[in-house]
PDB file of all heavy atoms in Angstrom:
ATOM      1  N   LYS A   4     -32.258 -62.490  39.113  1.00  0.00           N
ATOM      2  CA  LYS A   4     -32.530 -63.863  38.644  1.00  0.00           C
ATOM      3  C   LYS A   4     -33.095 -64.673  39.795  1.00  0.00           C
ATOM      4  O   LYS A   4     -32.540 -64.626  40.950  1.00  0.00           O
ATOM      5  CB  LYS A   4     -31.207 -64.491  38.122  1.00  0.00           C
ATOM      6  CG  LYS A   4     -31.404 -65.865  37.545  1.00  0.00           C
ATOM      7  CD  LYS A   4     -30.072 -66.373  36.937  1.00  0.00           C
ATOM      8  CE  LYS A   4     -30.247 -67.680  36.264  1.00  0.00           C
ATOM      9  NZ  LYS A   4     -29.055 -68.132  35.526  1.00  0.00           N
ATOM     10  N   ASN A  20     -22.423 -56.855  35.486  1.00  0.00           N
ATOM     11  CA  ASN A  20     -21.193 -57.426  34.904  1.00  0.00           C
ATOM     12  C   ASN A  20     -20.121 -57.590  35.894  1.00  0.00           C
ATOM     13  O   ASN A  20     -19.133 -58.306  35.653  1.00  0.00           O
ATOM     14  CB  ASN A  20     -20.765 -56.608  33.751  1.00  0.00           C
ATOM     15  CG  ASN A  20     -21.709 -56.649  32.572  1.00  0.00           C
ATOM     16  OD1 ASN A  20     -22.364 -57.672  32.343  1.00  0.00           O
ATOM     17  ND2 ASN A  20     -21.809 -55.588  31.767  1.00  0.00           N
ATOM     18  N   VAL A  23     -22.131 -60.035  41.902  1.00  0.00           N
ATOM     19  CA  VAL A  23     -23.282 -60.887  42.140  1.00  0.00           C
ATOM     20  C   VAL A  23     -23.540 -60.909  43.624  1.00  0.00           C
ATOM     21  O   VAL A  23     -22.640 -61.170  44.405  1.00  0.00           O
ATOM     22  CB  VAL A  23     -23.087 -62.368  41.635  1.00  0.00           C
ATOM     23  CG1 VAL A  23     -24.369 -63.141  41.872  1.00  0.00           C
ATOM     24  CG2 VAL A  23     -22.639 -62.404  40.143  1.00  0.00           C
ATOM     25  N   ASP A  42     -19.122 -70.031  38.428  1.00  0.00           N
ATOM     26  CA  ASP A  42     -18.130 -68.997  38.570  1.00  0.00           C
ATOM     27  C   ASP A  42     -18.531 -68.137  39.809  1.00  0.00           C
ATOM     28  O   ASP A  42     -19.426 -67.409  39.786  1.00  0.00           O
ATOM     29  CB  ASP A  42     -18.098 -68.064  37.324  1.00  0.00           C
ATOM     30  CG  ASP A  42     -17.088 -66.929  37.504  1.00  0.00           C
ATOM     31  OD1 ASP A  42     -16.286 -66.931  38.455  1.00  0.00           O
ATOM     32  OD2 ASP A  42     -17.036 -66.063  36.603  1.00  0.00           O
ATOM     33  N   LYS A 105     -25.238 -51.566  49.691  1.00  0.00           N
ATOM     34  CA  LYS A 105     -25.468 -51.125  51.006  1.00  0.00           C
ATOM     35  C   LYS A 105     -26.707 -51.911  51.568  1.00  0.00           C
ATOM     36  O   LYS A 105     -27.709 -51.914  50.816  1.00  0.00           O
ATOM     37  CB  LYS A 105     -25.633 -49.674  51.133  1.00  0.00           C
ATOM     38  CG  LYS A 105     -24.395 -48.845  50.796  1.00  0.00           C
ATOM     39  CD  LYS A 105     -24.570 -47.408  50.886  1.00  0.00           C
ATOM     40  CE  LYS A 105     -23.272 -46.620  50.544  1.00  0.00           C
ATOM     41  NZ  LYS A 105     -23.524 -45.170  50.550  1.00  0.00           N
ATOM     42  N   PHE A 121     -34.644 -56.969  54.410  1.00  0.00           N
ATOM     43  CA  PHE A 121     -33.538 -56.224  54.038  1.00  0.00           C
ATOM     44  C   PHE A 121     -33.981 -55.030  53.104  1.00  0.00           C
ATOM     45  O   PHE A 121     -34.753 -55.234  52.189  1.00  0.00           O
ATOM     46  CB  PHE A 121     -32.501 -57.046  53.237  1.00  0.00           C
ATOM     47  CG  PHE A 121     -32.001 -58.190  54.019  1.00  0.00           C
ATOM     48  CD1 PHE A 121     -32.446 -59.489  53.768  1.00  0.00           C
ATOM     49  CD2 PHE A 121     -31.094 -58.051  55.116  1.00  0.00           C
ATOM     50  CE1 PHE A 121     -31.985 -60.612  54.526  1.00  0.00           C
ATOM     51  CE2 PHE A 121     -30.679 -59.108  55.862  1.00  0.00           C
ATOM     52  CZ  PHE A 121     -31.035 -60.407  55.540  1.00  0.00           C
ATOM     53  N   HIS A 125     -28.222 -49.906  45.804  1.00  0.00           N
ATOM     54  CA  HIS A 125     -27.114 -49.982  44.818  1.00  0.00           C
ATOM     55  C   HIS A 125     -27.454 -48.866  43.799  1.00  0.00           C
ATOM     56  O   HIS A 125     -28.668 -48.670  43.495  1.00  0.00           O
ATOM     57  CB  HIS A 125     -27.087 -51.361  44.137  1.00  0.00           C
ATOM     58  CG  HIS A 125     -25.873 -51.526  43.278  1.00  0.00           C
ATOM     59  ND1 HIS A 125     -25.840 -51.094  41.938  1.00  0.00           N
ATOM     60  CD2 HIS A 125     -24.689 -52.197  43.493  1.00  0.00           C
ATOM     61  CE1 HIS A 125     -24.672 -51.399  41.384  1.00  0.00           C
ATOM     62  NE2 HIS A 125     -23.942 -52.090  42.294  1.00  0.00           N
ATOM     63  N   CYS A 128     -29.883 -50.374  40.888  1.00  0.00           N
ATOM     64  CA  CYS A 128     -31.283 -50.806  41.138  1.00  0.00           C
ATOM     65  C   CYS A 128     -31.921 -49.907  42.185  1.00  0.00           C
ATOM     66  O   CYS A 128     -33.078 -50.103  42.537  1.00  0.00           O
ATOM     67  CB  CYS A 128     -31.280 -52.261  41.676  1.00  0.00           C
ATOM     68  SG  CYS A 128     -30.424 -52.623  43.232  1.00  0.00           S
ATOM     69  N   ASN A 148     -37.443 -48.139  45.083  1.00  0.00           N
ATOM     70  CA  ASN A 148     -37.377 -48.234  43.601  1.00  0.00           C
ATOM     71  C   ASN A 148     -37.827 -49.639  43.091  1.00  0.00           C
ATOM     72  O   ASN A 148     -38.338 -49.729  41.950  1.00  0.00           O
ATOM     73  CB  ASN A 148     -35.962 -47.918  43.104  1.00  0.00           C
ATOM     74  CG  ASN A 148     -35.513 -46.580  43.525  1.00  0.00           C
ATOM     75  OD1 ASN A 148     -34.601 -46.419  44.360  1.00  0.00           O
ATOM     76  ND2 ASN A 148     -36.131 -45.522  43.011  1.00  0.00           N
ATOM     77  N   ASN A 149     -37.585 -50.656  43.852  1.00  0.00           N
ATOM     78  CA  ASN A 149     -37.954 -52.024  43.456  1.00  0.00           C
ATOM     79  C   ASN A 149     -38.367 -52.814  44.756  1.00  0.00           C
ATOM     80  O   ASN A 149     -37.855 -52.485  45.812  1.00  0.00           O
ATOM     81  CB  ASN A 149     -36.804 -52.771  42.812  1.00  0.00           C
ATOM     82  CG  ASN A 149     -36.531 -52.238  41.443  1.00  0.00           C
ATOM     83  OD1 ASN A 149     -37.271 -52.436  40.459  1.00  0.00           O
ATOM     84  ND2 ASN A 149     -35.399 -51.552  41.264  1.00  0.00           N
ATOM     85  N   LYS A 170     -56.881 -76.767  61.439  1.00  0.00           N
ATOM     86  CA  LYS A 170     -56.866 -75.433  62.009  1.00  0.00           C
ATOM     87  C   LYS A 170     -55.492 -75.008  62.509  1.00  0.00           C
ATOM     88  O   LYS A 170     -55.077 -73.846  62.347  1.00  0.00           O
ATOM     89  CB  LYS A 170     -57.849 -75.283  63.215  1.00  0.00           C
ATOM     90  CG  LYS A 170     -58.029 -73.895  63.697  1.00  0.00           C
ATOM     91  CD  LYS A 170     -59.108 -73.812  64.806  1.00  0.00           C
ATOM     92  CE  LYS A 170     -59.276 -72.405  65.298  1.00  0.00           C
ATOM     93  NZ  LYS A 170     -58.080 -71.811  65.905  1.00  0.00           N
ATOM     94  N   LEU A 206     -44.978 -67.696  46.700  1.00  0.00           N
ATOM     95  CA  LEU A 206     -46.370 -68.102  46.654  1.00  0.00           C
ATOM     96  C   LEU A 206     -46.542 -69.605  47.017  1.00  0.00           C
ATOM     97  O   LEU A 206     -45.759 -70.459  46.592  1.00  0.00           O
ATOM     98  CB  LEU A 206     -46.916 -67.880  45.222  1.00  0.00           C
ATOM     99  CG  LEU A 206     -47.451 -66.519  44.810  1.00  0.00           C
ATOM    100  CD1 LEU A 206     -46.353 -65.494  44.749  1.00  0.00           C
ATOM    101  CD2 LEU A 206     -48.194 -66.547  43.498  1.00  0.00           C
TER     102      LEU A 206
END
Side-chain angles (χ1 to χ4, degrees):
K4 183 171 186 177
N20 292 330
V23 180
D42 180 8
K105 293 179 180 178
F121 303 106
H125 189 282
C128 63
N148 302 112
N149 290 289
K170 186 175 183 299
L206 274 69

